Amino acid sequence: MMPRMPGTNLTRAEAATRHDLLAVTAYDVTLDLSVSDKVFESTTVLTFTCSQPGASTFADLHGATVHEVTLNGVALDAFEVYRDNRIELSDLAGENELRVRCELPYSHTGEGLHRFVDPADGRVYLYSQFEVADARRVYVTFEQPDLKSVFTFTVVAPEEWVVVSNTTPQPEPSANHTRTWTFPTTARMSTYITAFVAGEYHAVYDEYVGAHGTIPLGHFCRQSIKDQLDIEELLTLTKQGFAFFEETFAFPYPFGKYDQAYVPEYNMGAMENAGCVTFRDEYLPRSRQVHSFYEQRANTILHEMAHMWFGDLVTMKWWDDLWLNESFAEWASHHALVSATAYTEAWTGFTNARKLWAYRQDQLPSTHPIAADNYDLEAVQVNFDGITYAKGASTLKQLVAWVGLEPFLKGLRAYFEEHAFANSEFADLLRALEQASGRELSSWADEWLKTSGVNTIAPEFSVASDGTFTSFAVLQTASAEFPTIRRHRLGIGLYDVREGRLVRRTTVETDIAGPRTEIPELVGQLQPDLVLLNDGDLTYAKIRLDERSLATAVAHIDQVDDSLARALLWSAAWDMTRDAEMRATDWVALVLRGIGSETDQTAVGRLPGFTRAFVNYYSDPAGRAELKGVWERGLRGLVESAPAGSDHQLSFVRAYAAAAHSPEALDFLAGLLDESAHLPGLSVDTDLRWTLLAALAANGRVDEQRIEEEVARDNTISGQERAAAALTMRPTVDAKARAWHDAVERDDVPNETQRQIAMSFVVSGQEELLAPYLEKYLDAAETIWEDKGPHRASTALEGMFPMPLASSATVARLDEWLATSEANPSAQRYVREGRDDMARALAGQRRDAAG
């Protein structure tokens, strides 16, 4: 095993020591991007003060070839002071100037300064990605969020390029067909939200004129996809966002201009760089997408904009309070969507997708409090998860329901005013919210933010002979590992079947606490066909249905008028299936009954994926082939009955392709691909062609030559990535060996291509081919975190976990490895999570077999 790299893995204790010692006056950074296609030159002049003259500290610089280090006018021996990605600084003065000139490599992993050459036209594009701690891959830093400073950037680049950063530049001609972009000094900010975007980008400029003045707007994308830049819709969302947030937060946008760049091979959805937001350019679709795609894109746009206040204007002191950034931005974006845009049912989409992400994460052995103990950077890297985002947002949604929206916003406004351009801790926000709401919130915070796990709530009632409730209570339980019983703001809905519809008769909103809470308001009510706890989705909890309500839900899921109520029923059934309380066979029947009339496109898109997992892994192996046939035939019926050209039709065709395995189904997919078969209203465009081809590849119906022919037809980076996925899915020994080599062993495969390969490696039904990779996976997990870095390692460990090999023997082998492994704790986490998913699947198989 390779040794840890403490220079890269900054600890919280080290950061606190450095913060107490230093204050950073300014950064002056010059980047020369015209040096070569492999490296760039970086020169940093960093001025700072030291509270203890004579003390020592260190600056951060990752992977550099250092040519010059000068501290307070004295040249230092770079070989002596630059070790383990740190520059050792000794005998500091009260006021200091550090000057470092170095060369750094361009990245192909999406970390640091990423370089991309577009295969469509040969144009070059760069962009930076610095969160959590990768600004040090581009210039010398004190890489921690609480050492904020101001930054003056200068960039030398080819004259035909566009260069964007956190402020608006003044470009001037330079020698050798280059130009020099000089950027005005920024506002005070943390290193991780500084940014550079450079290359032959297509640019569109506009402005937002609001109550606090004019904000210049820029949108950027590759030249080869400029026709996909739906600028009017993007401008509409951007302007709606600024109007809403400036009024809601009562604080003007703090960073002058606002640029949004859509960039290739991006690891995440987007990044909130101050005034220079980057997005993955898949958000500019080249093929038809359904409504939920655009809703999610709108949410991402508003999420990043909310970060301009949550995270950029006011920044956490250390990554323990990462949730202050992400949970608040997640809540604020959904609040803005329903309040200020056309996406008025975005909270339903949240319940159908984001919240399930949180529920799964919170039931894994790696669960953690919302306010996590991020003791070092490696701990931070793996906690950008469903708890930090969606559980935190769910908790804030409940807090808003509890204290009221206006007191909540009043507290936020005071918080922004007090901590603008500075750093804060959770206690600062809590104090502001308590003062604004008049409520004591410390105990609430202890319950919800500092503990792990999810509660389960269920109704308990008695019914008189006339059908009315004589008693009604809500029971609350917790797991043995995480026994906290919490307070909940809760809606209780009573639903009746009327004229073929399942409609809400009434709802009661109340607070519950403890293991049992009586609800006297419901005594005397006629027992409904369905009792729905958490009606309105105010709290974060697993819900269970009484016997009559469950039967009603199963029989009438397609007749529920309210989309959010349906989402809660889908969520309950999904969780019951995962907990082996509902058979996978019954889940399939439920989805086939309800999905055809489901109005929320997020549900329509997500439910087939959940079903595929339940069929492949949670069903009784003895009856799995039959259930696969039921699911495949059911989807074919939905494809045939969906309105021509509808979002439902496209979603069902995609799901059918993923489920297809019979000769008849595969022949139909092949016909759609070669245009010998047709569906009214369905356009088999570029991305749908790849979906069909991948399904055929997974079933051994196309070879490498046919996939290469499709690449020739689609000579784009997207085409190359989709081809890599299709090649990986083929049921051959050589296909798996090549995919393993490319995703796990090589270093030169671009990050998004590696992701496509990793996520396509594991195919249900290919157990014999995957069997040798259990031991290879565990061997790789021992060192992959150090060998390949956090991004490549996490992608491989998550995507290539051999789930089809689920058995008691495999679980035992995983347990043995976990008991003896010396792998990085982050790598062990992914193995432990996969093991937990496998154990759940085996329990599900036993439940399905029991009938």
mmCIF file with all atom_site columns, all heavy atoms in Angstrom, residues 117-129:
data_model
loop_
_atom_site.group_PDB
_atom_site.id
_atom_site.type_symbol
_atom_site.label_atom_id
_atom_site.label_alt_id
_atom_site.label_comp_id
_atom_site.label_asym_id
_atom_site.label_entity_id
_atom_site.label_seq_id
_atom_site.pdbx_PDB_ins_code
_atom_site.Cartn_x
_atom_site.Cartn_y
_atom_site.Cartn_z
_atom_site.occupancy
_atom_site.B_iso_or_equiv
_atom_site.pdbx_formal_charge
_atom_site.auth_seq_id
_atom_site.auth_comp_id
_atom_site.auth_asym_id
_atom_site.auth_atom_id
_atom_site.pdbx_PDB_model_num
ATOM 1   N N   . VAL A 1 117 ? -9.774  18.989 -25.849 1.00 0.00 ? 117 VAL A N   1
ATOM 2   C CA  . VAL A 1 117 ? -9.758  19.266 -27.278 1.00 0.00 ? 117 VAL A CA  1
ATOM 3   C C   . VAL A 1 117 ? -11.003 18.628 -27.882 1.00 0.00 ? 117 VAL A C   1
ATOM 4   O O   . VAL A 1 117 ? -11.196 17.409 -27.778 1.00 0.00 ? 117 VAL A O   1
ATOM 5   C CB  . VAL A 1 117 ? -8.487  18.716 -27.954 1.00 0.00 ? 117 VAL A CB  1
ATOM 6   C CG1 . VAL A 1 117 ? -8.508  19.020 -29.449 1.00 0.00 ? 117 VAL A CG1 1
ATOM 7   C CG2 . VAL A 1 117 ? -7.235  19.311 -27.313 1.00 0.00 ? 117 VAL A CG2 1
ATOM 8   N N   . ASP A 1 118 ? -11.824 19.434 -28.494 1.00 0.00 ? 118 ASP A N   1
ATOM 9   C CA  . ASP A 1 118 ? -13.100 18.955 -29.027 1.00 0.00 ? 118 ASP A CA  1
ATOM 10  C C   . ASP A 1 118 ? -12.855 18.126 -30.285 1.00 0.00 ? 118 ASP A C   1
ATOM 11  O O   . ASP A 1 118 ? -12.325 18.644 -31.273 1.00 0.00 ? 118 ASP A O   1
ATOM 12  C CB  . ASP A 1 118 ? -13.991 20.158 -29.353 1.00 0.00 ? 118 ASP A CB  1
ATOM 13  C CG  . ASP A 1 118 ? -15.442 19.769 -29.587 1.00 0.00 ? 118 ASP A CG  1
ATOM 14  O OD1 . ASP A 1 118 ? -15.699 18.592 -29.905 1.00 0.00 ? 118 ASP A OD1 1
ATOM 15  O OD2 . ASP A 1 118 ? -16.312 20.650 -29.451 1.00 0.00 ? 118 ASP A OD2 1
ATOM 16  N N   . PRO A 1 119 ? -13.236 16.845 -30.282 1.00 0.00 ? 119 PRO A N   1
ATOM 17  C CA  . PRO A 1 119 ? -13.020 16.032 -31.486 1.00 0.00 ? 119 PRO A CA  1
ATOM 18  C C   . PRO A 1 119 ? -13.867 16.486 -32.672 1.00 0.00 ? 119 PRO A C   1
ATOM 19  O O   . PRO A 1 119 ? -13.562 16.130 -33.813 1.00 0.00 ? 119 PRO A O   1
ATOM 20  C CB  . PRO A 1 119 ? -13.419 14.625 -31.028 1.00 0.00 ? 119 PRO A CB  1
ATOM 21  C CG  . PRO A 1 119 ? -14.332 14.829 -29.879 1.00 0.00 ? 119 PRO A CG  1
ATOM 22  C CD  . PRO A 1 119 ? -13.840 16.064 -29.191 1.00 0.00 ? 119 PRO A CD  1
ATOM 23  N N   . ALA A 1 120 ? -14.899 17.265 -32.403 1.00 0.00 ? 120 ALA A N   1
ATOM 24  C CA  . ALA A 1 120 ? -15.756 17.720 -33.495 1.00 0.00 ? 120 ALA A CA  1
ATOM 25  C C   . ALA A 1 120 ? -15.062 18.735 -34.389 1.00 0.00 ? 120 ALA A C   1
ATOM 26  O O   . ALA A 1 120 ? -15.328 18.785 -35.595 1.00 0.00 ? 120 ALA A O   1
ATOM 27  C CB  . ALA A 1 120 ? -17.052 18.314 -32.937 1.00 0.00 ? 120 ALA A CB  1
ATOM 28  N N   . ASP A 1 121 ? -14.157 19.565 -33.813 1.00 0.00 ? 121 ASP A N   1
ATOM 29  C CA  . ASP A 1 121 ? -13.537 20.619 -34.624 1.00 0.00 ? 121 ASP A CA  1
ATOM 30  C C   . ASP A 1 121 ? -12.103 20.940 -34.213 1.00 0.00 ? 121 ASP A C   1
ATOM 31  O O   . ASP A 1 121 ? -11.482 21.849 -34.780 1.00 0.00 ? 121 ASP A O   1
ATOM 32  C CB  . ASP A 1 121 ? -14.381 21.899 -34.575 1.00 0.00 ? 121 ASP A CB  1
ATOM 33  C CG  . ASP A 1 121 ? -14.631 22.406 -33.163 1.00 0.00 ? 121 ASP A CG  1
ATOM 34  O OD1 . ASP A 1 121 ? -13.904 21.995 -32.229 1.00 0.00 ? 121 ASP A OD1 1
ATOM 35  O OD2 . ASP A 1 121 ? -15.574 23.204 -32.980 1.00 0.00 ? 121 ASP A OD2 1
ATOM 36  N N   . GLY A 1 122 ? -11.555 20.254 -33.212 1.00 0.00 ? 122 GLY A N   1
ATOM 37  C CA  . GLY A 1 122 ? -10.179 20.485 -32.807 1.00 0.00 ? 122 GLY A CA  1
ATOM 38  C C   . GLY A 1 122 ? -9.956  21.708 -31.947 1.00 0.00 ? 122 GLY A C   1
ATOM 39  O O   . GLY A 1 122 ? -8.806  22.036 -31.631 1.00 0.00 ? 122 GLY A O   1
ATOM 40  N N   . ARG A 1 123 ? -11.018 22.385 -31.534 1.00 0.00 ? 123 ARG A N   1
ATOM 41  C CA  . ARG A 1 123 ? -10.847 23.589 -30.707 1.00 0.00 ? 123 ARG A CA  1
ATOM 42  C C   . ARG A 1 123 ? -10.513 23.202 -29.259 1.00 0.00 ? 123 ARG A C   1
ATOM 43  O O   . ARG A 1 123 ? -10.894 22.139 -28.784 1.00 0.00 ? 123 ARG A O   1
ATOM 44  C CB  . ARG A 1 123 ? -12.113 24.448 -30.740 1.00 0.00 ? 123 ARG A CB  1
ATOM 45  C CG  . ARG A 1 123 ? -12.440 25.004 -32.127 1.00 0.00 ? 123 ARG A CG  1
ATOM 46  C CD  . ARG A 1 123 ? -13.735 25.797 -32.083 1.00 0.00 ? 123 ARG A CD  1
ATOM 47  N NE  . ARG A 1 123 ? -14.207 26.165 -33.415 1.00 0.00 ? 123 ARG A NE  1
ATOM 48  C CZ  . ARG A 1 123 ? -13.923 27.295 -34.039 1.00 0.00 ? 123 ARG A CZ  1
ATOM 49  N NH1 . ARG A 1 123 ? -13.141 28.189 -33.446 1.00 0.00 ? 123 ARG A NH1 1
ATOM 50  N NH2 . ARG A 1 123 ? -14.412 27.550 -35.232 1.00 0.00 ? 123 ARG A NH2 1
ATOM 51  N N   . VAL A 1 124 ? -9.812  24.123 -28.580 1.00 0.00 ? 124 VAL A N   1
ATOM 52  C CA  . VAL A 1 124 ? -9.309  23.866 -27.234 1.00 0.00 ? 124 VAL A CA  1
ATOM 53  C C   . VAL A 1 124 ? -10.163 24.621 -26.216 1.00 0.00 ? 124 VAL A C   1
ATOM 54  O O   . VAL A 1 124 ? -10.506 25.799 -26.415 1.00 0.00 ? 124 VAL A O   1
ATOM 55  C CB  . VAL A 1 124 ? -7.838  24.300 -27.114 1.00 0.00 ? 124 VAL A CB  1
ATOM 56  C CG1 . VAL A 1 124 ? -7.329  24.113 -25.684 1.00 0.00 ? 124 VAL A CG1 1
ATOM 57  C CG2 . VAL A 1 124 ? -6.977  23.505 -28.094 1.00 0.00 ? 124 VAL A CG2 1
ATOM 58  N N   . TYR A 1 125 ? -10.456 23.928 -25.094 1.00 0.00 ? 125 TYR A N   1
ATOM 59  C CA  . TYR A 1 125 ? -11.254 24.533 -24.027 1.00 0.00 ? 125 TYR A CA  1
ATOM 60  C C   . TYR A 1 125 ? -10.645 24.172 -22.677 1.00 0.00 ? 125 TYR A C   1
ATOM 61  O O   . TYR A 1 125 ? -10.289 23.013 -22.430 1.00 0.00 ? 125 TYR A O   1
ATOM 62  C CB  . TYR A 1 125 ? -12.699 24.035 -24.087 1.00 0.00 ? 125 TYR A CB  1
ATOM 63  C CG  . TYR A 1 125 ? -13.389 24.395 -25.384 1.00 0.00 ? 125 TYR A CG  1
ATOM 64  C CD1 . TYR A 1 125 ? -13.418 23.498 -26.448 1.00 0.00 ? 125 TYR A CD1 1
ATOM 65  C CD2 . TYR A 1 125 ? -13.979 25.642 -25.560 1.00 0.00 ? 125 TYR A CD2 1
ATOM 66  C CE1 . TYR A 1 125 ? -14.023 23.826 -27.647 1.00 0.00 ? 125 TYR A CE1 1
ATOM 67  C CE2 . TYR A 1 125 ? -14.591 25.989 -26.759 1.00 0.00 ? 125 TYR A CE2 1
ATOM 68  C CZ  . TYR A 1 125 ? -14.604 25.074 -27.795 1.00 0.00 ? 125 TYR A CZ  1
ATOM 69  O OH  . TYR A 1 125 ? -15.194 25.420 -28.982 1.00 0.00 ? 125 TYR A OH  1
ATOM 70  N N   . LEU A 1 126 ? -10.515 25.173 -21.824 1.00 0.00 ? 126 LEU A N   1
ATOM 71  C CA  . LEU A 1 126 ? -10.042 24.987 -20.455 1.00 0.00 ? 126 LEU A CA  1
ATOM 72  C C   . LEU A 1 126 ? -11.123 25.460 -19.487 1.00 0.00 ? 126 LEU A C   1
ATOM 73  O O   . LEU A 1 126 ? -11.905 26.355 -19.795 1.00 0.00 ? 126 LEU A O   1
ATOM 74  C CB  . LEU A 1 126 ? -8.780  25.800 -20.183 1.00 0.00 ? 126 LEU A CB  1
ATOM 75  C CG  . LEU A 1 126 ? -7.616  25.761 -21.172 1.00 0.00 ? 126 LEU A CG  1
ATOM 76  C CD1 . LEU A 1 126 ? -6.506  26.681 -20.674 1.00 0.00 ? 126 LEU A CD1 1
ATOM 77  C CD2 . LEU A 1 126 ? -7.105  24.344 -21.351 1.00 0.00 ? 126 LEU A CD2 1
ATOM 78  N N   . TYR A 1 127 ? -11.132 24.846 -18.314 1.00 0.00 ? 127 TYR A N   1
ATOM 79  C CA  . TYR A 1 127 ? -11.940 25.366 -17.210 1.00 0.00 ? 127 TYR A CA  1
ATOM 80  C C   . TYR A 1 127 ? -11.338 24.850 -15.907 1.00 0.00 ? 127 TYR A C   1
ATOM 81  O O   . TYR A 1 127 ? -10.644 23.830 -15.882 1.00 0.00 ? 127 TYR A O   1
ATOM 82  C CB  . TYR A 1 127 ? -13.415 24.936 -17.315 1.00 0.00 ? 127 TYR A CB  1
ATOM 83  C CG  . TYR A 1 127 ? -13.623 23.443 -17.231 1.00 0.00 ? 127 TYR A CG  1
ATOM 84  C CD1 . TYR A 1 127 ? -13.758 22.804 -16.000 1.00 0.00 ? 127 TYR A CD1 1
ATOM 85  C CD2 . TYR A 1 127 ? -13.679 22.663 -18.384 1.00 0.00 ? 127 TYR A CD2 1
ATOM 86  C CE1 . TYR A 1 127 ? -13.939 21.431 -15.910 1.00 0.00 ? 127 TYR A CE1 1
ATOM 87  C CE2 . TYR A 1 127 ? -13.863 21.292 -18.313 1.00 0.00 ? 127 TYR A CE2 1
ATOM 88  C CZ  . TYR A 1 127 ? -13.994 20.681 -17.073 1.00 0.00 ? 127 TYR A CZ  1
ATOM 89  O OH  . TYR A 1 127 ? -14.164 19.323 -16.993 1.00 0.00 ? 127 TYR A OH  1
ATOM 90  N N   . SER A 1 128 ? -11.609 25.557 -14.836 1.00 0.00 ? 128 SER A N   1
ATOM 91  C CA  . SER A 1 128 ? -11.098 25.142 -13.530 1.00 0.00 ? 128 SER A CA  1
ATOM 92  C C   . SER A 1 128 ? -12.213 24.550 -12.690 1.00 0.00 ? 128 SER A C   1
ATOM 93  O O   . SER A 1 128 ? -13.390 24.871 -12.857 1.00 0.00 ? 128 SER A O   1
ATOM 94  C CB  . SER A 1 128 ? -10.469 26.331 -12.797 1.00 0.00 ? 128 SER A CB  1
ATOM 95  O OG  . SER A 1 128 ? -11.442 27.325 -12.507 1.00 0.00 ? 128 SER A OG  1
ATOM 96  N N   . GLN A 1 129 ? -11.809 23.673 -11.790 1.00 0.00 ? 129 GLN A N   1
ATOM 97  C CA  . GLN A 1 129 ? -12.700 23.133 -10.753 1.00 0.00 ? 129 GLN A CA  1
ATOM 98  C C   . GLN A 1 129 ? -11.867 23.007 -9.489  1.00 0.00 ? 129 GLN A C   1
ATOM 99  O O   . GLN A 1 129 ? -10.948 22.201 -9.427  1.00 0.00 ? 129 GLN A O   1
ATOM 100 C CB  . GLN A 1 129 ? -13.281 21.793 -11.164 1.00 0.00 ? 129 GLN A CB  1
ATOM 101 C CG  . GLN A 1 129 ? -14.038 21.072 -10.063 1.00 0.00 ? 129 GLN A CG  1
ATOM 102 C CD  . GLN A 1 129 ? -15.177 21.908 -9.485  1.00 0.00 ? 129 GLN A CD  1
ATOM 103 O OE1 . GLN A 1 129 ? -15.837 22.658 -10.209 1.00 0.00 ? 129 GLN A OE1 1
ATOM 104 N NE2 . GLN A 1 129 ? -15.386 21.803 -8.179  1.00 0.00 ? 129 GLN A NE2 1
#
